[in-house]
């Protein structure tokens, strides 16, 4: 990488509120990198429209027949789009499939994820519901590097969120998301800075 601003690719399957937080940080000059492409495995995902509204290229990539992962061919399609967009690193923002070899090999140590718990507690789906049902007094969110496991990669940063009396799964998830929208842009900025320094 030269001294240009690092280029970020974002992958998501849902409404894209974390992408919005990243795009707004970019607009206000505090992201330290440029979101250049958004890819989704869900054709109707809100994140695709949101990307377009921010002027970021957005593409649907058909995932194939499996529920929890893409076919190797589909994942190779993602890699091709990310490489054509000259992406330096990737932020998963609600991407609901396990990342496999094609992507891990193309961007080793360069894929970040945000997870709605204080990892290593509550890996996997609906981590806020797991926290609520277990009765812990606090949970939170974690930004970590993606490896071949599910929510197992190196932790880069965390934010704590209390459980409050009367919390439902929805109210707790909403409070965690507020923390996510603050933490993710900060962690992406730190990672972009680290890439810039290691390229010097
Ligand atoms: C977030 O809660 C994130 O932690 C999880 O998926 C959700 C995505 O939400 N990985 P959004 O699409 O960014 O609103």
């Amino acid at each position: 990488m030269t001294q240009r601003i690092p280029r970020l690719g974002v992958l998501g399957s849902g409404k894209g509120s974390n992408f919005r937080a990243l795009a707004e940080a970019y607009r206000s000059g505090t992201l330290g990198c440029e979101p250049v492409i958004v890819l989704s495995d869900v054709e109707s995902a809100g994140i695709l429209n949101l990307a377009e509204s921010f002027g970021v290229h957005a593409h649907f990539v058909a995932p194939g027949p499996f529920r929890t992962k893409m076919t190797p061919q589909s994942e190779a399609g993602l890699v091709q789009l990310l490489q054509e967009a000259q992406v330096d690193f990737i932020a998963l923002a609600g991407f609901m499939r396990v990342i496999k070899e094609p992507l891990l090999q193309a961007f080793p140590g360069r894929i970040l994820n945000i997870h709605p718990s204080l990892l290593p507690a509550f890996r996997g789906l609906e981590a806020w519901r797991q926290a609520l049902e277990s009765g812990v007094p606090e949970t939170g969110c974690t930004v970590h590097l993606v490896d071949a496991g599910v929510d197992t990669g190196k932790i880069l940063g965390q934010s704590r969120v209390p459980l409050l009396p009367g919390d439902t799964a929805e109210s707790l998830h909403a409070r965690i998301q507020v923390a996510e929208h603050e933490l993710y842009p900060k962690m992406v900025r730190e990672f972009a800075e680290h890439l810039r320094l290691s390229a010097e």
Side-chain angles (χ1 to χ4, degrees):
M1 200 175 73
T2 60
Q3 277 312 296
R4 66 179 169 72
I5 181 167
R7 294 166 70 83
L8 175 69
V10 178
L11 269 52
S13 310
K15 64 183 192 295
S17 69
N18 278 284
F19 167 73
R20 179 190 288 281
L22 297 173
E24 285 175 349
Y26 174 68
R27 275 201 177 160
S28 64
T30 60
L31 193 63
C33 60
E34 179 179 2
V36 292
I37 190 166
V38 170
L39 302 174
S40 182
D41 58 323
V42 178
E43 199 161 13
S44 60
I47 194 171
L48 291 174
N49 292 331
L50 198 55
E52 279 167 3
S53 75
F54 277 92
V56 176
H57 294 295
H59 301 272
F60 161 64
V61 177
F66 310 118
R67 205 169 46 84
T68 58
K69 61 177 185 180
M70 300 186 91
T71 60
Q73 294 82 350
S74 300
E75 212 180 280
L78 282 185
V79 170
Q80 191 180 344
L81 287 166
L82 292 162
Q83 286 175 338
E84 282 169 7
Q86 299 186 339
V87 157
D88 297 300
F89 72 116
I90 297 168
L92 305 185
F95 190 66
M96 297 306 287
R97 288 171 197 268
V98 179
I99 301 298
K100 296 289 183 186
E101 289 278 291
L103 205 52
L104 287 171
Q105 274 178 7
F107 294 91
R110 289 181 174 226
I111 307 176
L112 278 58
N113 183 41
I114 185 147
H115 181 78
S117 77
L118 295 174
L119 289 174
F122 310 125
R123 295 186 169 120
L125 293 177
E126 299 205 325
W128 59 88
R129 195 182 299 278
Q130 297 182 48
L132 192 66
E133 286 170 2
S134 81
V136 290
E138 66 171 9
T139 181
C141 53
T142 302
V143 174
H144 64 96
L145 290 178
V146 174
D147 63 13
V150 175
D151 305 323
T152 50
K154 181 183 171 197
I155 291 173
L156 303 179
Q158 294 185 311
S159 265
R160 297 177 176 279
V161 173
L163 274 81
L164 300 180
D167 254 341
T168 60
E170 291 69 33
S171 66
L172 179 57
H173 188 206
R175 192 174 317 114
I176 293 171
Q177 286 227 288
V178 173
E180 289 181 345
H181 301 158
E182 209 177 302
L183 180 68
Y184 214 4
K186 239 167 59 185
M187 293 293 108
V188 165
R189 180 195 176 105
E190 273 183 23
F191 195 82
E193 182 67 11
H194 150 81
L195 285 184
R196 283 165 72 112
L197 292 177
S198 49
E200 273 177 10

